[in-house]
Amino acid sequence: MNSNSLVSISDISKEEILHLLENARYFEENPNHKILDGKVVATLFFEPSTRTRLSFETAVNRLGGRVIGFSDASTTSSSKGETLKDTIKMVSNYVDLIVMRHYLEGAARYATEVTDTPIINAGDGAHQHPTQTMLDLYSIYKTQGTLDNLTITMVGDLKYGRTVHSLLMAMQYFNPTFNFVACDELKMPAEYKEFCDQKGIKYTEHKDFSEEVINSSDIIYMTRVQRERFTDIMEYEKVKNLYNLHNAMLDNSKDNLRILHPLPRVTEIDQDVDDNPKAYYFQQAQNGLYARQAIICRALNIDIKEVQKS
Ligand code: CP
């Protein structure tokens, strides 16, 4: 495995996280460089994406590199039965870095075992989405001025939501208090609650998205109920509209509250929230560009001091 791969947020230390956030800040202020001249990056998306793929591709373009890849695996030889192993080995012959999204949990880890080319996990099933976490942390830091001692309320699909799983693990270094708001069918899996217990992270579970929970929060992290993860569509229909944030619910919220959402949203945030200054999800997605520029540099061993000279 290439040690510059990023498969799980637990692959990187607190110091590396903070360093990446510093570098994201640098790229926000200075987005254009030529430091990837001659480098080729593959974006292999076996699952749909708007933000992750396009922000990675924009990041490569803004750093002067080239991109190859696919956004629809049905157009590739995997539709003829080519294995993931063979696909990764072949693409590794062409590129310096692979950014990969796959519907199977563990697919990105598996990819690191069949190639020495660095792999960045752009989401593997319901497991992890570490680059989303870096942009989430950057967004939290920018809006709160700190990552420490915050109350973070996670709402919706906490069972299948890879973004909340990664964020929960990353926050272990910053003494968070979590509210988990979900119905029984979508509650936070036991392994993540055990992780909180082991790390001494405070959390409470709620079925109601109550005024008390909202008004205690520094961050509300809304999530979509992911139809694509359900094997029983009736189960999805039963839970898909349980949590819906609308503007009036924010009337007595803290001044510093910000609403995050990895996007795409469906019905869980009303459009009347969009103009509220506490809504931050579109800026959050924009932050993905800068966070991913920093992550690409880490994967390719590019020193930010060299970047600053270019
Ligand atoms: N947040 C996120 O992963 O969005 P996409 O599915 O559009 O990439």
Side-chain angles (χ1 to χ4, degrees), residues 48-52 101 129 132 262-264:
S49 167
T50 297
R51 279 145 292 273
T52 310
R101 170 171 288 185
H129 196 347
Q132 176 72 42
L263 302 177

Side-chain angles (χ1 to χ4, degrees), residues 146-166:
T146 180
L147 292 172
D148 293 309
N149 307 317
L150 298 171
T151 297
I152 299 179
T153 297
M154 296 174 162
V155 185
D157 184 352
L158 308 189
K159 178 178 179 184
Y160 299 115
R162 57 195 176 200
T163 62
V164 291
H165 301 159
S166 292

Side-chain angles (χ1 to χ4, degrees), residues 1 5-6 44-45 79 90 92 109 120-121 146 148 165 181 203 209 233 259 288 294:
M1 168 173 163
S5 292
L6 178 57
L44 311 184
F45 277 67
S79 66
M90 287 313 309
S92 297
R109 182 71 69 196
I120 294 177
N121 181 7
T146 180
D148 293 309
H165 301 159
V181 179
Y203 69 86
F209 190 21
I233 198 67
I259 313 299

Side-chain angles (χ1 to χ4, degrees), residues 28-93:
E28 180 166 7
E29 289 162 5
N30 308 276
N32 297 314
H33 289 275
K34 289 287 169 222
I35 48 170
L36 294 190
D37 198 19
K39 302 279 188 205
V40 182
V41 176
T43 55
L44 311 184
F45 277 67
F46 294 85
E47 261 195 345
S49 167
T50 297
R51 279 145 292 273
T52 310
R53 185 174 67 83
L54 295 180
S55 61
F56 261 116
E57 294 187 359
T58 305
V60 175
N61 282 311
R62 287 201 177 275
L63 295 176
R66 303 261 176 124
V67 177
I68 64 163
F70 54 81
S71 57
D72 177 0
S74 71
T75 65
T76 74
S77 288
S78 64
S79 66
K80 304 174 199 163
E82 185 161 55
T83 62
L84 180 60
K85 176 181 176 182
D86 289 2
T87 303
I88 295 296
K89 285 183 93 63
M90 287 313 309
V91 175
S92 297
N93 290 336

Side-chain angles (χ1 to χ4, degrees), residues 53 112 155-156 186 232 238 250 258 261 275 301 303:
R53 185 174 67 83
T112 66
V155 185
L186 294 176
D232 178 352
K238 203 168 83 183
L250 301 173
R258 291 296 178 272
H261 190 311
D275 293 330
N301 262 334
D303 187 343

Side-chain angles (χ1 to χ4, degrees), residues 138-140 142-143 258-261 276-285 287:
Y138 187 50
S139 300
I140 293 170
K142 275 176 70 178
T143 60
R258 291 296 178 272
I259 313 299
L260 302 187
H261 190 311
N276 190 314
K278 295 176 182 176
Y280 194 74
Y281 27 93
F282 294 121
Q283 297 98 314
Q284 177 189 2
N287 290 335

